[in-house]
Amino acid sequence: MSQNEPGFDELLASAKRSAVHLEMRDVYGVGDEAQDFERWARTGERDVDPASDYWTPWVGLIKRTVARGVVVRRARVVSEPVTDYIKYEHAGTVVNLQAGEQVRWLPRRQASDIALPGNDCWVFDDETVLFNHFTGEGGWSEPGWEVRTEPAVVRLAAEAFEAVWERGIPHEKYSI
C-alpha cells in the first residue's frame, strides 16, 4: 500500500454520488467494537444511542456525507442461522439507518450465483474500490485496506454489490 494511497475518510469525503459497502463475513473482531460486543454478549444490550461516544463519530460522518447528496448503502451477505456477531450487528443497525444509511441483508444461500470479490469492500461513485483486509478471526490485517481503480476491478465490486442489493432484504424486514 502506497503512502499516498487515500484512506476511507478521504474517499468518503470525496464521494459525489454514492458510497456502497459490501460485507460478507460472519464474524468481525475489530478492536474498536470489542468492548461493545462483549457487553452485548454478556447482557444482550446493544448501544443504540447515536449520540454515544461509540456511535457519534460514525453517525456524524454519515450524516455529513448524506447531507452532501451522497447515497450510502450497505449490503450484508450472511450465513444462516446467523452467528452471534451478526445478531449483534443486526441489533445495532438501527443507528446506521438513523445516520442515513440504507441497509439490506442477503442470506448466503441466495448468493451462490453472484460473482463476489474476495474481500469486503466500499465502492465510491463506481470509480474507486477500497477493499478491507481481515485476519481469519476478523481483526484488521496488515495492510488493513487496498485501494483499486482499474475499471474491471471496480466493475466486479460494483456489480457484486448491486446484485446483492437487488436480492437483499431491507433491514426492517429481515428478522433473525
Side-chain angles (χ1 to χ4, degrees), residues 30-77:
V30 294
D32 60 343
E33 58 188 24
Q35 189 175 18
D36 191 53
F37 178 72
E38 289 170 14
R39 188 185 87 172
W40 173 84
R42 201 175 52 254
T43 66
E45 296 175 11
R46 176 80 202 264
D47 178 358
V48 292
D49 177 3
S52 71
D53 290 343
Y54 175 79
W55 281 107
T56 295
W58 183 255
V59 169
L61 182 63
I62 296 304
K63 283 188 175 199
R64 288 188 303 277
T65 302
V66 171
R68 292 192 338 262
V70 176
V71 175
V72 180
R73 297 181 292 158
R74 181 184 302 257
R76 294 174 169 146
V77 178

Side-chain angles (χ1 to χ4, degrees), residues 96-167:
N96 297 88
L97 299 173
Q98 290 171 357
E101 286 187 64
Q102 300 170 42
V103 180
R104 291 188 182 177
W105 303 80
L106 181 65
R108 190 172 310 282
R109 70 181 179 281
Q110 295 177 25
S112 296
D113 61 344
I114 298 173
L116 297 169
N119 296 290
D120 288 11
C121 61
W122 281 87
V123 182
F124 302 94
D125 293 330
D126 292 324
E127 297 171 357
T128 304
V129 179
L130 181 141
F131 288 107
N132 299 122
H133 295 294
F134 298 98
T135 65
E137 286 80 33
W140 291 108
S141 68
E142 282 297 321
W145 73 87
E146 170 188 10
V147 176
R148 304 285 295 269
T149 57
E150 303 94 323
V153 174
V154 174
R155 187 171 41 259
L156 169 69
E159 288 176 357
F161 178 86
E162 292 303 333
V164 170
W165 185 260
E166 183 178 308
R167 294 182 191 181

Side-chain angles (χ1 to χ4, degrees), residues 1 7 11 22 43 47 81-82 95 109 116 138 142 165 171-172:
M1 174 169 49
L11 289 167
L22 180 58
T43 66
D47 178 358
V82 299
V95 181
R109 70 181 179 281
L116 297 169
E142 282 297 321
W165 185 260
H171 175 75
E172 301 81 9

